[in-house]
mmCIF file of all heavy atoms in Angstrom:
data_model
loop_
_atom_site.group_PDB
_atom_site.id
_atom_site.type_symbol
_atom_site.label_atom_id
_atom_site.label_comp_id
_atom_site.label_asym_id
_atom_site.label_seq_id
_atom_site.Cartn_x
_atom_site.Cartn_y
_atom_site.Cartn_z
ATOM 1 N N TYR A 18 111.696 131.751 78.545
ATOM 2 C CA TYR A 18 111.550 131.439 79.981
ATOM 3 C C TYR A 18 111.036 132.628 80.722
ATOM 4 O O TYR A 18 111.023 133.772 80.234
ATOM 5 C CB TYR A 18 112.906 131.025 80.583
ATOM 6 C CG TYR A 18 113.269 129.554 80.325
ATOM 7 C CD1 TYR A 18 114.349 129.226 79.514
ATOM 8 C CD2 TYR A 18 112.509 128.576 80.895
ATOM 9 C CE1 TYR A 18 114.688 127.882 79.307
ATOM 10 C CE2 TYR A 18 112.822 127.248 80.647
ATOM 11 C CZ TYR A 18 113.891 126.923 79.863
ATOM 12 O OH TYR A 18 114.212 125.607 79.668
ATOM 13 N N VAL A 22 114.316 135.099 79.046
ATOM 14 C CA VAL A 22 115.397 134.447 78.254
ATOM 15 C C VAL A 22 114.813 133.682 77.098
ATOM 16 O O VAL A 22 113.933 132.812 77.284
ATOM 17 C CB VAL A 22 116.214 133.437 79.169
ATOM 18 C CG1 VAL A 22 117.343 132.863 78.331
ATOM 19 C CG2 VAL A 22 116.715 134.121 80.382
ATOM 20 N N ALA A 24 115.291 130.982 74.955
ATOM 21 C CA ALA A 24 116.190 129.818 74.892
ATOM 22 C C ALA A 24 116.183 129.141 73.583
ATOM 23 O O ALA A 24 117.161 128.588 73.113
ATOM 24 C CB ALA A 24 115.876 128.839 75.995
ATOM 25 N N PRO A 43 127.233 124.821 71.806
ATOM 26 C CA PRO A 43 127.927 125.128 73.040
ATOM 27 C C PRO A 43 126.947 125.252 74.188
ATOM 28 O O PRO A 43 125.730 125.302 74.019
ATOM 29 C CB PRO A 43 128.572 126.486 72.771
ATOM 30 C CG PRO A 43 127.819 127.098 71.658
ATOM 31 C CD PRO A 43 127.270 125.939 70.841
ATOM 32 N N SER A 44 127.478 125.304 75.417
ATOM 33 C CA SER A 44 126.609 125.355 76.625
ATOM 34 C C SER A 44 125.655 126.588 76.597
ATOM 35 O O SER A 44 126.098 127.662 76.152
ATOM 36 C CB SER A 44 127.547 125.443 77.852
ATOM 37 O OG SER A 44 126.749 125.357 78.986
ATOM 38 N N GLY A 45 124.426 126.319 76.924
ATOM 39 C CA GLY A 45 123.463 127.394 76.972
ATOM 40 C C GLY A 45 122.797 127.786 75.667
ATOM 41 O O GLY A 45 122.103 128.704 75.530
ATOM 42 N N CYS A 46 123.058 126.949 74.624
ATOM 43 C CA CYS A 46 122.458 127.309 73.306
ATOM 44 C C CYS A 46 121.023 126.851 73.160
ATOM 45 O O CYS A 46 120.404 127.153 72.145
ATOM 46 C CB CYS A 46 123.324 126.696 72.199
ATOM 47 S SG CYS A 46 123.185 124.897 72.100
ATOM 48 N N GLY A 47 120.489 126.126 74.141
ATOM 49 C CA GLY A 47 119.091 125.736 74.091
ATOM 50 C C GLY A 47 118.773 124.330 73.652
ATOM 51 O O GLY A 47 117.649 123.995 73.424
ATOM 52 N N LYS A 48 119.837 123.534 73.600
ATOM 53 C CA LYS A 48 119.642 122.132 73.186
ATOM 54 C C LYS A 48 118.702 121.350 74.143
ATOM 55 O O LYS A 48 117.724 120.782 73.755
ATOM 56 C CB LYS A 48 120.961 121.324 73.166
ATOM 57 C CG LYS A 48 122.164 122.077 72.660
ATOM 58 C CD LYS A 48 123.413 121.204 72.779
ATOM 59 C CE LYS A 48 123.989 121.123 74.159
ATOM 60 N NZ LYS A 48 124.615 122.383 74.656
ATOM 61 N N SER A 49 119.039 121.478 75.469
ATOM 62 C CA SER A 49 118.237 120.753 76.417
ATOM 63 C C SER A 49 116.802 121.261 76.401
ATOM 64 O O SER A 49 115.861 120.508 76.540
ATOM 65 C CB SER A 49 118.786 120.944 77.792
ATOM 66 O OG SER A 49 120.061 120.361 77.874
ATOM 67 N N THR A 50 116.635 122.609 76.288
ATOM 68 C CA THR A 50 115.333 123.169 76.292
ATOM 69 C C THR A 50 114.505 122.615 75.141
ATOM 70 O O THR A 50 113.366 122.209 75.347
ATOM 71 C CB THR A 50 115.431 124.722 76.186
ATOM 72 O OG1 THR A 50 116.274 125.213 77.229
ATOM 73 C CG2 THR A 50 114.062 125.360 76.248
ATOM 74 N N GLU A 165 122.667 114.446 76.884
ATOM 75 C CA GLU A 165 124.074 114.281 77.308
ATOM 76 C C GLU A 165 124.258 112.981 78.140
ATOM 77 O O GLU A 165 124.755 113.061 79.285
ATOM 78 C CB GLU A 165 124.562 115.459 78.097
ATOM 79 C CG GLU A 165 124.278 116.757 77.376
ATOM 80 C CD GLU A 165 125.252 117.880 77.656
ATOM 81 O OE1 GLU A 165 126.303 117.609 78.262
ATOM 82 O OE2 GLU A 165 124.962 119.007 77.254
ATOM 83 N N HIS A 198 127.147 118.313 73.802
ATOM 84 C CA HIS A 198 127.933 119.478 73.386
ATOM 85 C C HIS A 198 129.238 119.014 72.806
ATOM 86 O O HIS A 198 130.136 119.829 72.467
ATOM 87 C CB HIS A 198 128.189 120.443 74.606
ATOM 88 C CG HIS A 198 128.898 119.788 75.692
ATOM 89 N ND1 HIS A 198 128.281 119.421 76.874
ATOM 90 C CD2 HIS A 198 130.190 119.460 75.839
ATOM 91 C CE1 HIS A 198 129.169 118.826 77.628
ATOM 92 N NE2 HIS A 198 130.331 118.871 77.094
HETATM 93 N N1 ATP D 26 114.234 127.044 83.977
HETATM 94 C C1 ATP D 26 114.815 128.026 83.362
HETATM 95 N N2 ATP D 26 114.506 129.313 83.602
HETATM 96 C C2 ATP D 26 115.116 130.348 82.992
HETATM 97 N N3 ATP D 26 116.098 130.189 82.079
HETATM 98 C C3 ATP D 26 116.476 128.955 81.770
HETATM 99 C C4 ATP D 26 115.861 127.787 82.377
HETATM 100 N N4 ATP D 26 116.459 126.719 81.895
HETATM 101 C C5 ATP D 26 117.395 127.139 80.983
HETATM 102 N N5 ATP D 26 117.403 128.466 80.924
HETATM 103 C C6 ATP D 26 118.232 129.300 80.047
HETATM 104 O O1 ATP D 26 117.946 128.946 78.710
HETATM 105 C C7 ATP D 26 119.128 128.895 77.928
HETATM 106 C C8 ATP D 26 119.230 127.511 77.320
HETATM 107 O O2 ATP D 26 119.424 126.528 78.319
HETATM 108 P P1 ATP D 26 119.603 125.008 78.013
HETATM 109 O O3 ATP D 26 119.599 124.305 79.298
HETATM 110 O O4 ATP D 26 118.597 124.568 76.960
HETATM 111 O O5 ATP D 26 121.056 124.967 77.406
HETATM 112 P P2 ATP D 26 121.907 123.748 76.908
HETATM 113 O O6 ATP D 26 122.166 123.975 75.448
HETATM 114 O O7 ATP D 26 121.251 122.470 77.236
HETATM 115 O O8 ATP D 26 123.252 123.951 77.658
HETATM 116 P P3 ATP D 26 124.149 122.898 78.441
HETATM 117 O O9 ATP D 26 125.074 122.294 77.414
HETATM 118 O O10 ATP D 26 124.909 123.746 79.429
HETATM 119 O O11 ATP D 26 123.256 121.876 79.052
HETATM 120 C C9 ATP D 26 120.276 129.207 78.891
HETATM 121 O O12 ATP D 26 120.583 130.553 78.730
HETATM 122 C C10 ATP D 26 119.708 129.008 80.254
HETATM 123 O O13 ATP D 26 120.321 129.850 81.176
#
Side-chain angles (χ1 to χ4, degrees):
Chain A
Y18 277 114
V22 182
S44 187
C46 71
K48 321 177 282 290
S49 297
T50 303
E165 311 208 13
H198 61 256

